[in-house]
Each structure stands twice: as C-alpha cells, then as structure tokens.
Amino acid sequence: CRLNRKFTFTFPSAIQGLEMSTGKVPFLEALNGSTVILPCTYASCIGIKNLYFNWQYNDNGTMQKVCESVIPLDGMDPHPVSIFRERVDFIGTGDHNNISILLWNITFEDEGQYTCFGRNPKEKGKNHSAIFTLVVVDELRVVDNTLTIIIASAVGGAIALLMTFMLVKNFILFVLFKIEEKKKIECLVQSSSADETNNVSGSKTSKPTTPKKK
C-alpha cells in the first residue's frame, strides 16, 4: 500500500531592505505665505548603492515631479539634485539619510499630498514610498481646551473629595477606637474597685466573736 502525501513548504517573505519615512506625523497645517519642511528619511539594512529618489506632488491624480537625484553610497550627499518646481530647496544630508525638501512662501496651490519615493538597485528594482500631506490655511485654528479643563477639574475634584472622605473616615475610626479603649479602661477600674470592696466586706463578716463573761 502506497501513501500519497502532499507537503507544503512555506518560505519566509523577503526582507524589506529599504524603508522610506515621512515621520510619525505625516501631515502639516501651515499658514499661507510661510516656509515649511517636508521631511523624509530612508533606511536600509542591506546598504545602498546609487539609490534613486524623488519627490512628487499629486495634482488631482496627476503626479508632478518636484525634485530627484541619486545617492552613490551610504553617508554620501546626492549630487546633483534636479529641482522641477519653484520655491523648492533640497535640504537633505547623506550623513543622516535625510532627503527632506523645503517649500518657502507657500500658497494654497501647494496644498496636497507629496510622495517621497526611493529605489535601491541592490533590491533589484523594488520601489518604496511614503506620503506627506500639506494643508495651507489663512490662520491657524485655536484649540478649544474648555472641555479638557472641565474634565480635568472634575477628575481633580473627585480625587480631592475621595481623599477628604478617606481622611474623615480614618479620623472617625480613630475617635471610635479611643472611645472604646477608654470604656475598657473604665470597666477595668470599676471591676478592680468592686473586687476590693468585696474583699473588705468578707473579712469583716468572717471575724470570730468572743463570748461574754458572766
């Protein structure tokens, strides 16, 4: 009898050598006319060689190139950097794997999504990217902290009330303990006095009487 067995082999997924990042908070709200930095860094566990990168702006679905360049090796600055958009400067450095750009005197037309793209030839043409969103406003919104203050005050008041209750409770228990202790002492004193009185009375009644002479 021959058994037919099927074996399934699971291969580990390929290690992602290159990672692009636009920070923990990949968006920014900025004033019209101000200067902003669009951050982007890269990291690779296998190292880089001739890393190609670019920034692209999403113009209603059409990707417009903002800048591009190539980084020869780890720790080296890209050179040259080609800029395709006005009011844009490249401020990245190879020492910190930084490929950030600066937008100065921004307008409402600069608002939207920017993609930081990278491709490392060591990974055989794999593409990696990260998105940063820029929002341009006339004035920055003032955050209303009224609700936060009310909640904090309520929580603080509740904690203070609880602490007051615990202090009063402990004080009452202390007073009751002292009263109970005082009662026990008084009871012991009264018991001791009663025993002494009984002993004196008993000694008087047990004294023999001498007969009278006729």
Side-chain angles (χ1 to χ4, degrees), residues 153-172:
S153 300
V155 172
I159 295 174
L161 183 62
L162 180 61
M163 293 179 64
T164 304
F165 171 77
M166 295 299 296
L167 289 173
V168 172
K169 178 183 176 182
N170 291 335
F171 177 74
I172 293 174

Side-chain angles (χ1 to χ4, degrees), residues 8-187:
T8 303
F9 297 93
T10 303
F11 295 94
S13 58
I15 299 175
Q16 181 174 336
L18 182 66
E19 292 183 2
M20 313 297 289
S21 173
T22 52
K24 294 181 178 180
V25 183
F27 66 89
L28 175 66
E29 187 176 277
L31 283 172
N32 181 28
S34 62
T35 298
V36 299
I37 293 176
L38 305 188
C40 186
T41 58
Y42 66 89
S44 176
C45 60
I46 62 174
I48 65 166
K49 184 177 181 180
N50 295 325
L51 169 66
Y52 169 79
F53 74 90
N54 66 41
W55 276 92
Q56 301 176 54
Y57 172 69
N58 188 348
D59 185 10
N60 296 322
T62 302
M63 303 304 293
Q64 297 181 354
K65 195 174 291 185
V66 178
C67 71
E68 68 177 358
S69 187
V70 173
I71 303 175
L73 294 170
D74 285 312
M76 296 182 64
D77 291 337
H79 184 78
V81 178
S82 301
I83 306 293
F84 305 102
R85 194 180 177 95
E86 295 181 351
R87 297 175 288 104
V88 173
D89 288 328
F90 179 78
I91 59 172
T93 58
D95 293 339
H96 301 91
N97 297 349
N98 186 352
I99 50 176
S100 303
I101 59 175
L102 182 142
L103 275 61
W104 47 276
N105 194 21
I106 61 174
T107 66
F108 291 104
E109 294 180 354
D110 297 320
E111 181 176 279
Q113 288 186 343
Y114 292 80
T115 299
C116 180
F117 173 87
R119 183 171 60 242
N120 186 9
K122 280 191 172 184
E123 293 183 342
K124 298 180 180 179
K126 288 186 178 180
N127 299 329
H128 304 276
S129 62
I131 295 176
F132 190 88
T133 302
L134 175 64
V135 179
V136 182
V137 295
D138 278 328
E139 60 181 7
L140 295 178
R141 291 174 295 178
V142 179
V143 179
D144 188 2
N145 294 323
T146 304
L147 181 59
T148 304
I149 295 173
I150 292 175
I151 294 175
S153 300
V155 172
I159 295 174
L161 183 62
L162 180 61
M163 293 179 64
T164 304
F165 171 77
M166 295 299 296
L167 289 173
V168 172
K169 178 183 176 182
N170 291 335
F171 177 74
I172 293 174
L173 291 175
F174 176 76
V175 172
L176 292 175
F177 173 77
K178 287 297 183 180
I179 292 175
E180 189 68 22
E181 190 178 37
K182 183 178 180 182
K183 287 182 179 179
K184 288 181 180 180
I185 294 174
E186 291 178 352
C187 182

Side-chain angles (χ1 to χ4, degrees), residues 191-210:
S191 299
S192 178
S193 300
D195 291 341
E196 291 178 0
T197 303
N198 292 334
N199 291 334
V200 172
S201 300
S203 60
K204 288 182 178 180
T205 53
S206 62
K207 186 179 181 180
T209 57
T210 53

